[in-house]
Amino acid sequence: MDLTKFAYDAPYPEPKVEEPNRHYAEILLDDYAGYASEFTAIALYSYQHFISDVKHRDFADLIIGIAQVEMKHLDLLGTTIYLLGALPKYRGSYTTYGQYWNGYFVNYDKDLKDMIRIDIQSEKEAIKNYKRHIEMIDDRYIKKLLERIILDEEKHIKLLKDYLDRKF
């Protein structure tokens, strides 16, 4: 699948850090596998792909393309967390009180319109979290990475809104 239509048209920065920093790693664990995280988005979009594939093939294709971009984000964040000196375990930090990822984080709605609205809200929440984390982290490499990821999330919102407008 050609992912260029699901991602912002710019290269990703190479995962780097100025120096190991466990506190920054803990912050990024929430983006990695916390409540509103890349891992949760991948699980949510995979679920939606499976249940939409028969009746709404166009949505299933859209959402699995977006999920694959989220997998790229997961990879970039996991590498960065490791470079910061922590293990990229599937757990959040502050949003989950350090608990491991849980399937309860996924919204299992089945109505197409509701799923799209949930997806848009999830992308907005991710952007809000990334912006907050950019303010909390004083590492130029991590800031650039998060800023680049935000561009993809903004594109996802546009794709989802365009789909919602076409269908409803």
Side-chain angles (χ1 to χ4, degrees):
M1 175 178 283
D2 178 18
L3 295 183
T4 57
K5 65 182 179 178
F6 305 106
Y8 184 79
D9 187 22
Y12 294 98
E14 177 186 340
K16 286 185 187 179
V17 298
E18 291 178 7
E19 62 186 8
N21 184 314
R22 296 289 299 227
H23 176 65
Y24 293 168
E26 288 295 320
I27 292 169
L28 292 181
L29 278 166
D30 277 334
D31 299 320
Y32 182 73
Y35 183 74
S37 67
E38 298 297 339
F39 198 69
T40 300
I42 293 163
L44 172 66
Y45 297 157
S46 296
Y47 164 77
Q48 292 176 347
H49 168 77
F50 298 136
I51 68 165
S52 300
D53 198 32
V54 174
K55 286 186 177 179
H56 306 286
R57 180 63 183 199
D58 54 345
F59 178 71
D61 291 343
L62 169 66
I63 209 67
I64 203 65
I66 292 173
Q68 290 178 7
V69 174
E70 306 294 8
M71 287 180 210
K72 176 66 177 176
H73 299 167
L74 189 77
D75 176 63
L76 293 166
L77 290 170
T79 301
T80 303
I81 290 165
Y82 189 71
L83 292 171
L84 285 167
L87 295 175
K89 294 182 178 181
Y90 295 107
R91 69 168 181 87
S93 182
Y94 304 104
T95 64
T96 65
Y97 305 101
Q99 297 299 308
Y100 283 91
W101 189 87
N102 189 310
Y104 287 116
F105 297 172
V106 175
N107 184 308
Y108 294 103
D109 203 300
K110 297 183 288 188
D111 178 76
L112 181 63
K113 192 174 189 179
D114 289 340
M115 287 190 302
I116 298 165
R117 288 180 176 159
I118 289 162
D119 298 344
I120 292 168
Q121 186 56 42
S122 296
E123 296 286 347
K124 287 180 178 179
E125 186 72 19
I127 291 168
K128 183 179 91 173
N129 290 340
Y130 282 128
K131 286 181 177 180
R132 189 174 72 250
H133 295 164
I134 287 169
E135 294 298 317
M136 296 169 70
I137 294 173
D138 188 25
D139 181 305
R140 68 183 180 273
Y141 301 117
I142 298 171
K143 286 178 182 278
K144 284 184 183 203
L145 175 61
L146 299 183
E147 288 165 355
R148 174 59 187 82
I149 290 173
I150 287 171
L151 295 174
D152 284 343
E153 307 299 12
E154 290 172 341
K155 179 156 187 172
H156 297 165
I157 291 171
K158 181 179 179 349
L159 291 168
L160 291 161
K161 282 183 174 179
D162 288 350
Y163 185 86
L164 186 64
D165 290 343
R166 278 194 318 273
K167 289 293 183 178
F168 301 97

